Amino acid sequence: MEDEPNKFIRFMESLFALIDGPVVFFREKIVVPNQKKYPWYHQQFRRVPTIETCDIEDVVCRLEADYQFKRDKMVDEEIVAILRQRYEDCAWENYEDKQLCLDLYKTYEDASEAYFIKYGDLGIKCNVVNAFMKQKHRMIWERRHGPVGSGMNEKFATV
């Protein structure tokens, strides 16, 4: 006899079903089938060819590559800003024990270093050609002298 709910519980369940039933029906039969199928809510751009695949005379390809570069730069800036904010929030909440935030700090430092390697020293009017040349010069330097910041190779130190 204890498994049967009393009259009040049955009344409340029927009242809940009376209110919730149309809402669930509307969501399952109208809202969900008509939703867009992608899980993001921002504009998605198709990836365009990078600058090294564009011909010199192909102005449209170069312009699209430049727009793609600027979008990528904005995304990288936001990533670094989010990581910085997460570290600052962690440091604020755990001001007595900074050891809890070391992994966030390491992630932030790695991301900011990668951002500077890619976009640093390009100036305010940076474009994809300047960034590509910076990357090319860095690769040549690393081939001749080793990784940047590790000192110069003995072989090229006197040159």
Side-chain angles (χ1 to χ4, degrees):
M1 251 353 210
E2 293 181 19
D3 293 335
E4 292 182 21
N6 61 20
K7 290 182 181 181
F8 178 73
I9 292 176
R10 284 190 307 210
F11 172 74
M12 292 305 288
E13 287 176 352
S14 63
L15 184 65
F16 178 75
L18 183 68
I19 295 172
D20 190 51
V23 174
V24 170
F25 175 80
F26 182 77
R27 175 161 175 76
E28 290 176 352
K29 301 296 181 191
I30 296 173
V31 174
V32 172
N34 292 319
Q35 280 182 337
K36 296 178 180 176
K37 299 299 179 203
Y38 52 86
W40 51 82
Y41 301 100
H42 57 278
Q43 186 176 2
Q44 292 286 312
F45 295 98
R46 66 177 180 83
R47 299 296 293 185
V48 297
T50 54
I51 191 69
E52 65 264 13
T53 59
C54 294
D55 291 333
I56 294 175
E57 295 87 19
D58 193 359
V59 177
V60 175
C61 181
R62 293 169 62 98
L63 187 66
E64 286 180 343
D66 195 42
Y67 285 152
Q68 182 70 52
F69 169 77
K70 289 181 179 172
R71 284 193 298 267
D72 290 343
K73 183 174 186 251
M74 288 192 315
V75 168
D76 291 342
E77 285 173 358
E78 286 300 316
I79 289 171
V80 171
I82 289 169
L83 290 173
R84 180 185 321 112
Q85 186 64 42
R86 285 183 183 173
Y87 169 70
E88 288 174 354
D89 290 344
C90 179
W92 178 261
E93 291 172 7
N94 304 310
Y95 64 92
E96 292 176 355
D97 187 13
K98 300 287 190 212
Q99 298 295 324
L100 298 173
C101 304
L102 285 180
D103 56 339
L104 284 174
Y105 183 71
K106 176 76 170 122
T107 305
Y108 164 66
E109 283 294 317
D110 292 343
S112 61
E113 179 184 357
Y115 180 84
F116 184 77
I117 286 171
K118 189 170 183 181
Y119 303 109
D121 296 333
L122 286 179
I124 193 83
K125 292 185 174 183
C126 64
N127 60 16
V128 69
V129 176
N130 293 343
F132 186 65
M133 289 298 115
K134 179 181 176 183
Q135 180 184 10
K136 180 190 75 154
H137 295 314
R138 182 181 176 92
M139 289 174 62
I140 291 171
W141 172 270
E142 287 180 349
R143 184 179 298 157
R144 289 183 182 166
H145 306 291
V148 175
S150 65
M152 296 179 66
N153 273 343
E154 297 296 325
K155 183 169 122 179
F156 295 102
T158 58
V159 175

